[in-house]
Amino acid sequence: MSSSNTTNDLASAVSNVTQKTIMFTRYWCMTMFILGLIGHSLNVCIFTRPALRLNPCARYFMASAIAGYGVIFGVLPVRLLQFGYSRSLFLSSVTMCKMLTFLFSWARILPCWFIGLASIDRFLCSSPSMRLRGWSSIRVFKYLITLAIVFTGLTQMPILIFFTISSQPAICLGQPNLFQKLNGFFILIIWSLIPSLTMFIFGFLTIRHIQQSIPRVHDENIIIHHQKRTKFIDRQLIQMTLMQSILFGLTSAAGAIGGTFNVLDDNSRKDALELAKQSLIGNVLSFVGLFGPCLSFYSCTLSSQLFRHELMILLHIREQHEEDDVTDALTMQERIN
């Protein structure tokens, strides 16, 4: 009798943890989708404003926002079906297992690398060397964006070779287990470590350039309005770059760790409750990794005075257009009457 009660309690506890995992996945994915869609759309509108359209750093941010669409339209819906409603597209075939894992891993890595490139661009733009400043251009932006897309895609090619559908339980996972562990650490390096270090290092070097340029600016006393405006934009972009580096660095590290959490030790020695709890922690960490690609507008773009100003101008222009359309319609109606 005691053994039966223990079994029932264990089953109830496992069911409770599983239900928490399902509810977390549903609410998190739906919230990230709605907020991410709105945020990325506003980002694209802001970064295409006349004041920012030809700025290379703004182009990197816009590329990051566009890559974020891949996360909210691809990764979130499929993961919602998989963990929220137990309908996994990964298990439909081995080809789908390989391709979806490859594309989703590629999509979530790209925004971090684009922000890393934005940090490098701010370093180049703020340099006292005219030669280095020349590398901050639209032409270089196009070259580096293409290079980043191709390079990160190549780093994920082993997924197409080693991922397959395992049985008992059925899951899309890298085989053998050694590859899965090594791939987890490799993702941590590619997704989090390299982009984050790039953001932090070039962010601090950029601040140093700014600090060194202040005395020189006052001594020369040659700042005109256009130069002041340019410096204001550059500093706001630097501020946003640093905010992005912190956000993407922390969340991508959590996501990379969550993706390998379930293969870091031997699961065969754990009971069902421990496995359920481990699955919940791994899923939470994995979804935290999507915070940056989905919500960078709210945590980073809105932190900048420049972008808030451009957003208000954008909204004001649209409101003004709507008022003009109403006025024109009323005028036309009066003429008809």
Side-chain angles (χ1 to χ4, degrees):
M1 188 72 177
S2 176
S3 176
S4 176
N5 289 336
T6 302
T7 302
N8 291 335
D9 291 342
L10 178 61
S12 177
V14 171
S15 176
N16 184 41
V17 174
T18 302
Q19 188 63 26
K20 288 181 180 179
T21 302
I22 292 174
M23 297 309 297
F24 168 80
T25 301
R26 290 178 180 178
Y27 286 114
W28 181 269
C29 288
M30 291 178 182
T31 302
M32 292 299 101
F33 180 86
I34 296 172
L35 295 180
L37 178 60
I38 296 173
H40 287 317
S41 299
L42 291 175
N43 266 338
V44 171
C45 292
I46 291 173
F47 295 137
T48 52
R49 295 283 301 154
L52 301 170
R53 188 176 302 155
L54 298 180
N55 189 295
C57 186
R59 291 288 185 96
Y60 289 113
F61 284 128
M62 185 170 68
S64 179
I66 294 174
Y69 278 124
V71 174
I72 62 175
F73 284 116
V75 178
L76 286 179
V78 174
R79 291 302 185 187
L80 175 61
L81 289 175
Q82 180 183 8
F83 296 112
Y85 295 95
S86 300
R87 297 181 180 179
S88 178
L89 298 180
F90 293 87
L91 303 180
S92 58
S93 68
V94 175
T95 301
M96 288 292 288
C97 167
K98 293 176 182 289
M99 290 302 301
L100 287 179
T101 305
F102 169 76
L103 292 175
F104 288 174
S105 183
W106 193 5
R108 67 185 182 183
I109 288 174
L110 281 176
C112 293
W113 278 74
F114 292 159
I115 301 302
L117 293 176
S119 302
I120 296 175
D121 179 81
R122 290 302 87 195
F123 163 76
L124 296 173
C125 182
S126 63
S127 173
S129 170
M130 185 177 296
R131 179 184 176 185
L132 289 179
R133 290 198 303 270
W135 284 89
S136 177
S137 65
I138 300 297
R139 179 178 60 85
V140 174
F141 154 80
K142 294 178 180 179
Y143 174 78
L144 290 181
I145 283 291
T146 303
L147 184 63
I149 293 174
V150 173
F151 175 74
T152 54
L154 291 176
T155 63
Q156 304 307 300
M157 290 298 291
I159 292 176
L160 297 176
I161 301 174
F162 294 102
F163 265 68
T164 187
I165 299 177
S166 61
S167 57
Q168 297 180 356
I171 186 173
C172 177
L173 199 64
Q175 298 294 335
N177 194 46
L178 176 60
F179 164 77
Q180 180 66 8
K181 292 180 179 180
L182 293 176
N183 185 63
F185 288 111
F186 181 71
I187 291 295
L188 180 63
I189 294 173
I190 295 296
W191 186 14
S192 178
L193 187 59
I194 293 179
S196 298
L197 286 178
T198 300
M199 296 175 200
F200 281 115
I201 291 173
F202 284 96
F204 284 116
L205 289 176
T206 300
I207 293 175
R208 185 179 178 184
H209 281 168
I210 296 273
Q211 292 174 341
Q212 291 175 346
S213 69
I214 293 176
R216 175 172 52 85
V217 167
H218 285 295
D219 292 339
E220 295 176 0
N221 198 25
I222 57 172
I223 299 180
I224 59 175
H225 177 73
H226 175 71
Q227 290 173 318
K228 288 182 179 180
R229 175 63 175 169
T230 301
K231 274 193 169 294
F232 173 72
I233 292 176
D234 290 340
R235 287 176 177 172
Q236 291 293 301
L237 288 169
I238 290 168
Q239 173 186 326
M240 183 175 173
T241 302
L242 292 175
M243 290 291 295
Q244 293 269 38
S245 68
I246 297 173
L247 173 68
F248 277 87
L250 295 178
T251 58
S252 61
I257 293 172
T260 60
F261 190 80
N262 294 330
V263 295
L264 292 179
D265 55 6
D266 185 9
N267 292 334
S268 61
R269 292 174 296 180
K270 296 184 176 182
D271 59 29
L273 180 58
E274 289 179 337
L275 289 174
K277 290 180 179 179
Q278 181 174 291
S279 178
L280 173 60
I281 295 174
N283 287 340
V284 170
L285 290 175
S286 296
F287 281 116
V288 167
L290 302 179
F291 186 92
C294 292
L295 300 184
S296 60
F297 169 79
Y298 306 96
S299 57
C300 299
T301 306
L302 290 182
S303 68
S304 169
Q305 179 184 350
L306 169 65
F307 297 124
R308 291 197 303 270
H309 176 70
E310 292 296 330
L311 177 61
M312 295 306 298
I313 293 178
L314 177 67
L315 296 177
H316 176 73
I317 289 176
R318 291 191 174 183
E319 290 177 357
Q320 187 64 44
H321 284 171
E322 291 177 358
E323 292 177 0
D324 291 343
D325 291 341
V326 172
T327 302
D328 293 341
L330 291 175
T331 302
M332 181 64 68
Q333 186 65 32
E334 291 175 357
R335 290 178 179 177
I336 294 175
N337 293 336

